[in-house]
Amino acid sequence: MALKELLKQRVMEKLNFSQEISDEHLKGVIQEEIMKISEEYSLLLSDKIRLNQEVFYALRRLDILQDLLEDDSVTEIMINGYKNIFIERQGKLHRYPGHFSDNEKLYQVIQQVASGANRMVNERNPIVDARLNDGSRVNIILPPISIDGATMTIRKFAKEPMTLAWLCEREAFSEEIAKFLKILVRARYNIFISGGTLLNGMSNCIPKDERIITIEDSAELKLNGIDNLVRLEMRNANAAGENQVDMKELIKAALRSRPDRIIVGEVRGEEALSMLNAMNTGHDGSISTGHANSCKDMLKRIETMVLMGVDMPVEAIRGQMASAIDVIIHLGRSFDGSRKLMEISEITGMAASQVALHPLFEMNEDDELTMRSELCDQKKLKEYGQYEAYQKLMESFKARDQPVEI
């Protein structure tokens, strides 16, 4: 038996599980048992420290995952069965040398994560989305759906706010583009983001005196300095298939709550129509996200998602999109694995029964985001006091990125 498992077994034999066990008491028992084991085995100080931490994590935290969760350089953790753990660092995937002791331990951790988020995961309900206490997003898939064993994917929640400045430092886009995005938010353009990541940063550009309602399947947004903030989160059905609250219902409730803006987290299905309706009801400055390969593809995805929930003419759906969304922003992975802003396009209405896209910025052959043209609809810039800032910024873009189409 490995020393870690032997120590864990001895510690558990010493604990009285009929009473509440504090972290301090547990650490004391672990330390006592390490001292006894060190009389039987030759252990270095570093071995004792490692054993102490590993056993505490196994009994009170998330076992081998705890170190990865506390490592800020790790952005994503992928568990494919108990033997295979992969991590993402700086956009690149690496195999992690450690693994769970056995399948049972992995299942214990999965149940711990699910129950901590008030979710139930089992063979009848094998796919679950949850979140950790720090806001990290978790997706769990159990056999028989996951053929080679239970899988769990953890997208870690950034400890520091993901502002536009933070994204600039990581070269997702330039400071000039950050200023442009801030102007769009302050001028209350309705924005749809393809590729995620950017929603937190853009949300933090919203004036602090507005009433904001956020709607998400798992709460991840981290808005700072907004006092009048209402956060809504979906609720899955219970074991009897009852009491579910979906995104469509949350959007309906938000519209009755006097919002200045509605921010909808990632849309994946029929709730896309409710999102479009929310943007079409006079709540300028609303923001939402989805996943696609380009601005044009994002429009097709929204169209498909709407059709998942309602049978209506495609042209009517496109008309809804054209009137609801002002700007689409697309983020994608660059050749080096990092996330970069690839495209910003304005929706200018309908043309030949299609949603008309007007490119504002596009990635060139040198992997640089360059200006293609100016906003066609500048009414909101003037209405919300952003016109002068916009014109000044455009002058700097024109001087750098020639030619410019107007």
Side-chain angles (χ1 to χ4, degrees), residues 22-34:
S22 67
D23 285 356
E24 290 71 24
H25 178 65
L26 176 58
K27 287 176 181 177
V29 174
I30 293 172
Q31 191 62 45
E32 286 176 15
E33 293 306 312
I34 285 177

Side-chain angles (χ1 to χ4, degrees), residues 123-185:
E123 282 193 11
R124 289 183 61 189
N125 187 37
I127 302 175
V128 165
D129 289 317
R131 75 174 189 271
L132 302 180
N133 290 334
D134 67 356
S136 296
R137 189 168 71 185
V138 183
N139 173 259
I140 299 166
I141 309 174
L142 294 186
I145 304 300
S146 176
I147 295 170
D148 297 319
T151 73
M152 182 162 61
T153 307
I154 303 172
R155 178 166 291 178
K156 289 176 62 180
F157 193 77
K159 288 185 171 59
E160 56 182 307
M162 197 179 287
T163 61
L164 295 184
W166 186 91
L167 289 162
C168 281
E169 288 173 9
R170 282 145 186 84
E171 300 181 344
F173 43 78
S174 66
E175 290 183 13
E176 289 82 8
I177 292 294
K179 289 177 184 176
F180 179 71
L181 297 177
K182 186 175 182 179
I183 287 170
L184 289 179
V185 173

Side-chain angles (χ1 to χ4, degrees), residues 53-100:
Q53 180 174 280
E54 286 182 356
V55 172
F56 179 74
Y57 283 168
L59 295 174
R60 188 49 57 92
R61 299 290 188 264
L62 295 181
D63 199 57
I64 198 165
L65 301 182
Q66 196 63 39
D67 278 336
L68 296 174
L69 290 168
E70 294 176 5
D71 184 346
D72 291 341
S73 69
V74 175
T75 52
E76 199 140 8
I77 305 167
M78 292 143 277
I79 299 104
N80 307 339
Y82 80 93
K83 288 185 177 179
N84 301 302
I85 299 176
F86 295 85
I87 60 173
E88 181 185 69
R89 277 195 177 103
Q90 298 178 337
K92 290 185 168 53
L93 292 179
H94 307 273
R95 188 185 187 104
Y96 186 64
H99 58 78
F100 290 95

Side-chain angles (χ1 to χ4, degrees), residues 10 15 65 117 144-145 148 177 191 203 234 238 240 269-271 282 292 326 361-363 378 382:
R10 291 187 181 183
L15 296 174
L65 301 182
I145 304 300
D148 297 319
I177 292 294
I191 299 167
S203 299
M234 286 172 52
N238 59 23
E270 61 187 76
E271 69 274 5
D326 296 314
F361 294 88
E362 288 184 336
M363 193 72 78
Q378 300 186 9
K382 297 171 183 175

Side-chain angles (χ1 to χ4, degrees), residues 280-388:
N280 265 323
T281 52
H283 296 92
D284 286 344
S286 295
I287 308 173
S288 187
T289 71
H291 283 283
N293 296 319
S294 67
C295 291
K296 188 175 181 180
D297 281 352
M298 193 68 251
L299 290 174
K300 292 178 183 175
R301 282 270 296 147
I302 295 172
E303 191 177 298
T304 302
M305 287 189 286
V306 171
L307 286 170
M308 290 167 66
V310 64
D311 184 15
M312 63 187 291
V314 170
E315 193 167 330
I317 298 172
R318 291 171 183 168
Q320 282 269 59
M321 289 191 285
S323 59
I325 304 170
D326 296 314
V327 176
I328 296 188
I329 300 167
H330 174 63
L331 287 96
R333 288 203 183 274
S334 184
F335 63 90
D336 62 358
S338 61
R339 280 204 171 273
K340 289 189 182 295
L341 204 159
M342 302 281 190
E343 183 184 355
I344 305 175
S345 288
E346 179 185 13
I347 292 179
T348 55
M350 296 284 288
S353 300
Q354 299 289 329
V355 179
L357 274 179
H358 176 61
L360 303 175
F361 294 88
E362 288 184 336
M363 193 72 78
N364 64 16
E365 298 82 6
D366 298 322
D367 211 26
E368 294 175 348
L369 195 66
T370 56
M371 183 175 172
R372 286 282 307 276
S373 57
E374 292 191 40
L375 283 163
C376 292
D377 184 0
Q378 300 186 9
K379 181 182 175 183
K380 287 184 177 180
L381 294 172
K382 297 171 183 175
E383 188 177 346
Y384 294 104
Q386 298 299 311
Y387 185 72
E388 288 184 11

Side-chain angles (χ1 to χ4, degrees), residues 163-165 178-187 198-208 210 223-224 226 261 287 386:
T163 61
L164 295 184
K179 289 177 184 176
F180 179 71
L181 297 177
K182 186 175 182 179
I183 287 170
L184 289 179
V185 173
R186 290 189 169 270
L198 190 56
L199 183 55
N200 261 319
M202 294 189 71
S203 299
N204 281 289
C205 298
I206 295 171
K208 308 305 180 189
E210 295 185 16
L223 276 62
N224 299 308
I226 296 177
R261 303 184 195 230
I287 308 173
Q386 298 299 311

